[in-house]
Amino acid sequence: MVETVQSGNAAESTDPRVLRSRQMLMEALLRLLNRKEFDDISIQEIADEATLNRATFYLHYPDKNALLQAMTAARFHDLIARRGLSFTDCDGALRAIALGVCDYLAENTSCPSQLAKMPLEGSIIPAVEGMFEEGAKHHPTAPGADAKLLATTAAWAIFGAARRWHQTPDRIPAEEMAARIEAMVKPIFLTASA
């Protein structure tokens, strides 16, 4: 589930022990969020709930906020995979990403109430930026265009529009919102294309 690595060592991303420990820590945090406020959860409680020691926690995450961010990003990537959203076609990719963000925000309301209140920008936006940066490797940009800035701009635009949609009572279906987001964000990419 988690492919990101804290230390940057590629071998760690495939080591089953590392992946299992990270998964256990994420699941432990999720269980604890069902029982108490995030601010009231200690790293020792997370480690105990995961049946790991505190030192193991610190091998993987510098603090509980980093664990929360990793858990949110992993849940977002899982949703994208479960939905079978494909980014092989440039036209479909933007809509698929927008739909993934809308779906994640909507699905998050059925999660522990603590998770629904958490600011998700720190987890979702970097994940979406990464998707755009990966896509940019396959498409040249116009001279002087900054691919990283483009990815950041698009990620924030998508997240902001999806969050506004999610907070709207009697909102339109996610698929319709994803199409609207695509129509608004696509011109940003067209102006930066070579």
Side-chain angles (χ1 to χ4, degrees), residues 94 97-98 101 121 123-137 139 141 144-160 181 185-193:
L94 186 55
I97 291 169
V101 174
E121 303 87 42
S123 304
I124 302 305
I125 289 176
V128 173
E129 283 174 327
M131 292 174 187
F132 286 132
E133 288 173 11
E134 185 61 34
K137 294 177 185 175
H139 302 283
T141 56
D146 182 342
K148 285 193 175 288
L149 181 58
L150 176 63
T152 299
T153 302
W156 275 97
I158 289 171
F159 183 83
I181 293 171
V185 176
K186 194 171 189 175
I188 296 170
F189 286 101
L190 294 176
T191 59
S193 298

Side-chain angles (χ1 to χ4, degrees), residues 1-35:
M1 173 152 119
V2 180
E3 294 179 7
T4 57
V5 179
Q6 300 302 320
S7 68
N9 181 348
E12 285 186 18
S13 67
T14 58
D15 184 333
R17 296 167 299 174
V18 170
L19 296 175
R20 185 175 55 249
S21 293
R22 289 184 183 157
Q23 184 64 34
M24 290 169 70
L25 289 165
M26 287 181 205
E27 290 171 359
L29 177 58
L30 191 58
R31 286 190 302 274
L32 287 167
L33 285 170
N34 280 310
R35 299 192 303 256

Side-chain angles (χ1 to χ4, degrees), residues 16-69:
R17 296 167 299 174
V18 170
L19 296 175
R20 185 175 55 249
S21 293
R22 289 184 183 157
Q23 184 64 34
M24 290 169 70
L25 289 165
M26 287 181 205
E27 290 171 359
L29 177 58
L30 191 58
R31 286 190 302 274
L32 287 167
L33 285 170
N34 280 310
R35 299 192 303 256
K36 48 194 316 191
E37 297 283 325
F38 178 74
D39 290 339
D40 296 334
I41 298 171
S42 71
I43 289 173
Q44 186 63 56
E45 286 175 294
I46 296 168
D48 290 346
E49 183 74 22
T51 65
L52 298 169
N53 64 45
R54 189 178 167 103
T56 301
F57 178 96
Y58 285 113
L59 283 173
H60 300 286
Y61 302 102
D63 56 36
K64 67 181 185 177
N65 292 313
L67 171 60
L68 176 67
Q69 184 175 354

Side-chain angles (χ1 to χ4, degrees), residues 59-104:
L59 283 173
H60 300 286
Y61 302 102
D63 56 36
K64 67 181 185 177
N65 292 313
L67 171 60
L68 176 67
Q69 184 175 354
M71 182 183 78
T72 305
R75 290 170 55 102
F76 177 68
H77 284 292
D78 281 352
L79 179 135
I80 295 291
R82 271 195 331 270
R83 298 282 195 271
L85 300 177
S86 170
F87 310 122
T88 56
D89 173 323
C90 290
D91 289 330
L94 186 55
R95 186 177 298 201
I97 291 169
L99 180 59
V101 174
C102 288
D103 281 350
Y104 185 82

